[in-house]
Amino acid sequence: MDFLELRWDIIWNYRELFLRGIWITILLTISGYVGGIILGVLIGLGETSKKKWIYWPSKLYVDLFRGTPMLVQILIIHLAFIPAIFGQSYGFMVSGITALILNCAAYNAEIIRAGIQSIDKGQMEAARSLGLTHSQAMRKIILPQAFRRMIPPLGNEFIALLKDSSLVTVIAANDILYAAKVVAGAYNRFWEPYLVAALLYLILTYLVTKVVAYVERRFSNSYNPRKKKEGRVAS
Amino acid sequence: MIKVENLHKHFDKLEVLKGIDYEIKEKEVVCVIGPSGSGKSTFLRCINLLEEITNGAIYIDGVKVNDPKTNINDIRTEVGMVFQQFNLFPHMTVLDNITMAPMLIRKLSKPEAEKLALELLDKVGLRAKADNYPQQLSGGQQQRVAIARALAMKPKVMLFDEPTSALDPEMVNEVLDVMKQLALEGMTMVVVTHEMGFAREVADRVVFMDGGFIVEQGDPEQLFGNPQNERTKAFLGKVL
Ligand SMILES: Nc1ncnc2c1ncn2[C@@H]1O[C@H](COP(=O)(O)OP(=O)(O)OP(=O)(O)O)[C@@H](O)[C@H]1O
Ligand SMILES: [Mg+2]
């Protein structure tokens, strides 16, 4: 292969398609993630519940969505689930965001459960022995500590979701990958469009990494200089 | 003030407390001693319902704690607890550790709560550490803060579960001194401990537990000086 023969001008001709692709990818990812956090917190708390009728549905949900491929989830939601409930499809955006939210929530729930359960049980006992209710203890004592530990894995999940959002092209979402496919089809050339798509994803994930690192520095174990150092070594 | 009647506690099939009857009077200091696994911690934790009671009853000031109608959170505000592992809240300063519960539950204003917290820190000799985080303190200092935190709720009773067992030997006395002071001020205290010197000096009564029963109890001179039960004798022979 000779790089000098690569024709970058074909990308330029389709620049608007790529720009829209970037926008769609960002929109899908952010909507999916924000929804995934909200739903994930509820399900994650559900997974730590002692009440069986809360615990089991939460656990089942997580197992179901982590145990099946996202591609299959997207197709089921778009082609079967949404038409069955609403009698029609609302397009790739609605289906795509729904699928990303539902999938992301399962992973976030697991992170939130693990974060809560990583807090020493003496913390809850100390809080309860002072007379705090379970939910007061959660809010004041457990969650603030757990949250700091959740930041790195939640950041990883954001990056994973950004990349996985490319699966939504399968239902014809015009995201970054879709733009590449169109160019590839139009010119019957593959290096240029897919390299550009890869580069665009790389730039986006890089930016997210920076944001996550900032948030982590801002919140992570700020009360504990010693642990902070240990954490760096470990990672 | 605390009355324990036929207290039984099972962990699944394991019976840990096999029928405890005991009464603790106001301003009394009771030390609980006994071999590992005899159920001392479990007994203490049943008093503020950190463990569910399988059978029997505990009354605090006449209120049955394991009655479904009793608000357990109200009971717990009256019963302070100090843990072997301190269990300070690492994301809060020493001051916030102490003021959190009084503000949240007793509805004290921030200045009121801070004034109270600083008084208590004076009492345990740690006013200078108010703005530090728990990790910046030694074990003995952390345990003194934990005592101050419990006292901030103005409890009627204080429960101590081996408060000095996780400490380096040179820090044990600073914590015991705070507890002695508390005893002198007339606090009702139940102390699970391996510090026989402390029990002998401070306790009004000593309880020896073994195998889920109270095997023997009495004032310190009698229990340490002239134990009646064979198991008590064997245990004291090993630890004294
Ligand atoms: N949460 C629990 N689940 C199951 N078994 C338990 C639990 N907590 C305690 N036990 C068991 O109950 C018994 C009594 O435990 P407990 O902690 O009350 O003893 P202890 O007298 O405080 O001992 P130590 O001096 O070692 O602290 C032990 O056999 C212990 O293994
Ligand atoms: Mg114990």
Side-chain angles (χ1 to χ4, degrees):
Chain A
M1 184 196 69
D2 189 341
F3 271 101
L4 292 175
E5 282 178 23
L6 291 181
R7 292 180 46 206
W8 298 110
D9 55 310
I10 64 172
I11 303 293
W12 185 247
N13 293 340
Y14 279 84
R15 60 187 179 280
E16 272 172 27
L17 202 59
F18 274 99
L19 282 177
R20 186 156 78 234
I22 293 171
W23 169 237
I24 296 290
T25 292
I26 291 174
L27 203 63
L28 281 170
T29 307
I30 290 180
S31 314
Y33 192 71
V34 171
I37 287 275
I38 295 167
L39 189 58
V41 168
L42 295 177
I43 295 169
L45 286 172
E47 274 192 294
T48 65
S49 175
K50 283 209 188 82
K51 299 187 182 94
K52 286 199 164 47
W53 60 274
I54 298 179
Y55 169 80
W56 281 110
S58 311
K59 176 100 173 63
L60 185 70
Y61 179 94
V62 170
D63 287 349
L64 215 61
F65 277 88
R66 295 206 319 164
T68 54
M70 188 154 170
L71 192 54
V72 177
Q73 294 164 15
I74 292 170
L75 290 171
I76 290 178
I77 286 164
H78 184 64
L79 300 173
F81 183 71
I82 288 189
I85 289 185
F86 301 102
Q88 65 175 102
S89 172
Y90 290 96
F92 70 83
M93 211 60 194
V94 170
S95 304
I97 289 175
T98 306
L100 292 181
I101 287 176
L102 294 180
N103 181 278
C104 183
Y107 286 90
N108 285 341
E110 222 16 46
I111 292 166
I112 284 152
R113 178 199 61 75
I116 290 171
Q117 289 179 347
S118 76
I119 303 299
D120 185 85
K121 75 174 180 19
Q123 292 287 307
M124 179 56 95
E125 290 184 349
R128 296 306 304 271
S129 77
L130 289 166
L132 274 71
T133 64
H134 182 85
S135 69
Q136 284 173 329
M138 268 298 185
R139 262 182 297 131
K140 293 270 174 184
I141 307 302
I142 306 298
L143 289 178
Q145 293 181 60
F147 175 65
R148 290 170 163 88
R149 296 188 189 179
M150 292 172 197
I151 293 172
L154 285 177
N156 287 342
E157 176 53 25
F158 193 94
I159 292 168
L161 189 74
L162 176 63
K163 292 186 285 185
D164 286 347
S165 74
S166 63
L167 292 171
V168 179
T169 39
V170 74
I171 56 172
N174 48 1
D175 66 341
I176 293 175
L177 187 60
Y178 172 86
K181 271 200 291 218
V182 169
V183 174
Y187 293 91
N188 203 27
R189 295 187 67 93
F190 302 99
W191 276 105
E192 299 89 343
Y194 287 115
L195 278 180
V196 167
L199 184 68
L200 289 175
Y201 280 112
L202 191 63
I203 292 170
L204 289 178
T205 52
Y206 177 77
L207 291 177
V208 173
T209 316
K210 288 285 147 199
V211 173
V212 172
Y214 172 78
V215 175
E216 206 175 325
R217 242 181 295 120
R218 180 78 181 65
F219 289 104
S220 218
N221 293 321
S222 53
Y223 54 88
N224 187 346
R226 191 164 33 111
K227 277 234 180 78
K228 198 166 177 178
K229 241 179 266 151
E230 284 168 5
R232 288 242 179 79
V233 174
S235 63
Chain B
M1 127 164 264
I2 300 179
K3 197 164 159 213
V4 181
E5 279 180 2
N6 193 26
L7 173 65
H8 287 261
K9 171 67 190 175
H10 298 245
F11 289 110
D12 296 321
K13 293 219 175 62
L14 180 70
E15 188 171 20
V16 175
L17 299 179
K18 301 174 182 166
I20 304 255
D21 288 283
Y22 201 66
E23 198 168 343
I24 297 157
K25 297 188 194 72
E26 205 174 328
K27 303 200 173 191
E28 209 170 28
V29 177
V30 175
C31 282
V32 182
I33 62 171
S36 182
S38 56
K40 307 181 296 293
S41 299
T42 308
F43 171 51
L44 206 62
R45 293 159 57 86
C46 282
I47 294 176
N48 68 352
L49 280 196
L50 281 182
E51 302 292 353
E52 220 173 295
I53 293 170
T54 313
N55 240 315
I58 296 180
Y59 299 88
I60 298 181
D61 277 344
V63 179
K64 186 176 174 188
V65 301
N66 56 325
D67 188 321
K69 287 196 278 293
T70 305
N71 182 345
I72 181 58
N73 297 311
D74 290 345
I75 296 283
R76 286 183 179 138
T77 60
E78 307 295 340
V79 181
M81 179 132 186
V82 174
F83 300 85
Q84 185 175 349
Q85 299 298 338
F86 331 134
N87 294 340
L88 292 179
F89 306 130
H91 59 304
M92 296 179 176
T93 62
V94 164
L95 195 71
D96 292 341
N97 262 276
I98 302 174
T99 58
M100 187 271 301
M103 284 166 63
L104 193 66
I105 295 163
R106 298 268 193 241
K107 306 295 176 202
L108 262 56
S109 70
K110 198 172 161 82
E112 286 170 339
E114 286 183 350
K115 184 164 165 285
L116 171 66
L118 290 173
E119 283 167 16
L120 289 168
L121 282 174
D122 270 337
K123 187 177 179 133
V124 300
L126 289 171
R127 178 186 268 256
K129 301 288 183 187
D131 293 324
N132 287 72
Y133 284 94
Q135 286 85 350
Q136 298 167 312
L137 272 52
S138 72
Q141 292 171 332
Q142 290 192 45
Q143 193 61 299
R144 281 142 70 196
V145 173
I147 294 172
R149 177 178 70 179
L151 290 175
M153 292 302 285
K154 302 210 189 289
K156 294 179 189 157
V157 192
M158 287 281 285
L159 310 176
F160 296 82
D161 191 0
E162 301 196 32
T164 58
S165 294
L167 297 177
D168 292 337
E170 71 269 20
M171 295 174 186
V172 167
N173 280 326
E174 61 188 65
V175 172
L176 292 182
D177 287 344
V178 168
M179 291 167 62
K180 277 179 206 165
Q181 184 59 36
L182 212 54
L184 285 177
E185 289 168 15
M187 175 62 80
T188 311
M189 295 162 61
V190 185
V191 185
V192 173
T193 187
H194 290 300
E195 296 291 332
M196 297 304 152
F198 175 83
R200 185 171 255 172
E201 184 187 338
V202 181
D204 298 306
R205 281 193 294 158
V206 180
V207 169
F208 172 68
M209 281 183 72
D210 194 12
F213 292 105
I214 292 182
V215 173
E216 188 169 352
Q217 67 93 23
D219 64 51
E221 271 107 287
Q222 183 214 316
L223 196 119
F224 287 116
N226 186 21
Q228 301 299 309
N229 189 289
E230 287 309 315
R231 283 193 282 174
T232 320
K233 283 180 198 166
F235 175 76
L236 291 175
K238 267 181 263 166
V239 297
L240 285 180

